Amino acid sequence: MTQDVKSMTTCPKCKTQNPEGILFCQNCGWALMDMARYKATSTLELPQDAPTETRTRPQGTSTLRPDGAVRIHIEGAQPMTLNFARDLLFGRPDPTTGHKPDVDLTPFGGLEKGVSRAHAKLARTDNGLLLNDLSSTNGTWLNGKRVVPESPLRVRDGDEVRMGQLVMEIFFK
């Protein structure tokens, strides 16, 4: 009797073994896909009246335990669980300069949805998270409210974050 053995991919950052086909390391969130296939492309500037979908939801807790993780859901993709002690940069890589964000949104349509290379940061505080837009081309929204660049807003469990037109939900774990 033969046993089915799944291929594993080793994260180049933290050396964790991840199942083949996973886009981000399940331990540290590092992008696991081949960076050579992404060409250097400017951020697409979207029309200001581009349609958006923002759902109203009850406010969750803003407290994240020091040992707590963050789970990010992007429609059509496997959720990512991130454990981090420092700021996380969300954006797209730039093969020309070698810049790589901590969380690469390219595989989720980041380029087409107007995500900048250095779009936003999620910063961990003593007891929670702050979302900061980094003067991105197409903006960042928290539950439908535009985040003023360089003016961080507190993130709560279950909040919806939109970077350009890419929508994600953030849950505390």
Side-chain angles (χ1 to χ4, degrees):
M1 178 180 265
T2 25
Q3 189 173 355
D4 214 6
V5 178
K6 290 187 176 182
S7 297
M8 301 296 273
T9 301
T10 303
C11 174
K13 187 172 183 182
C14 73
K15 307 300 181 214
T16 298
Q17 292 292 312
N18 293 276
E20 190 72 37
I22 297 292
L23 299 175
F24 294 92
C25 176
Q26 294 175 330
N27 181 50
C28 71
W30 191 258
L32 298 175
M33 71 298 271
D34 178 16
M35 299 308 294
R37 66 185 175 150
Y38 300 115
K39 59 183 180 194
T41 309
S42 298
T43 301
L44 301 175
E45 192 165 347
L46 300 175
Q48 292 302 314
D49 60 346
T52 62
E53 288 185 31
T54 302
R55 290 167 272 174
T56 316
R57 60 178 46 87
Q59 292 286 325
T61 181
S62 65
T63 304
L64 177 63
R65 293 189 340 251
D67 63 341
V70 175
R71 193 160 180 88
I72 297 177
H73 292 243
I74 299 174
E75 190 175 330
Q78 284 196 336
M80 294 177 270
T81 300
L82 306 172
N83 293 308
F84 59 99
R86 58 175 176 74
D87 294 357
L88 282 182
L89 174 64
F90 287 75
R92 297 183 296 110
D94 183 351
T96 305
T97 64
H99 158 81
K100 293 179 185 175
D102 299 308
V103 181
D104 179 10
L105 297 174
T106 306
F108 309 105
L111 174 62
E112 300 80 9
K113 293 180 180 179
V115 174
S116 296
R117 288 190 179 98
H119 197 101
K121 278 191 180 178
L122 199 56
R124 188 147 200 166
T125 65
D126 289 340
N127 63 354
L129 293 176
L130 295 174
L131 176 66
N132 189 11
D133 180 79
L134 302 174
S135 300
S136 62
T137 301
N138 293 301
T140 303
W141 281 258
L142 180 61
N143 297 322
K145 179 181 178 187
R146 184 145 191 177
V147 178
V148 175
E150 306 301 334
S151 297
L153 292 178
R154 183 165 291 282
V155 176
R156 296 165 116 27
D157 183 37
D159 277 353
E160 179 183 88
V161 173
R162 184 166 56 91
M163 296 180 191
Q165 292 297 314
L166 191 138
V167 179
M168 63 185 78
E169 293 176 304
I170 297 180
F171 297 97
F172 297 175
K173 190 173 176 192

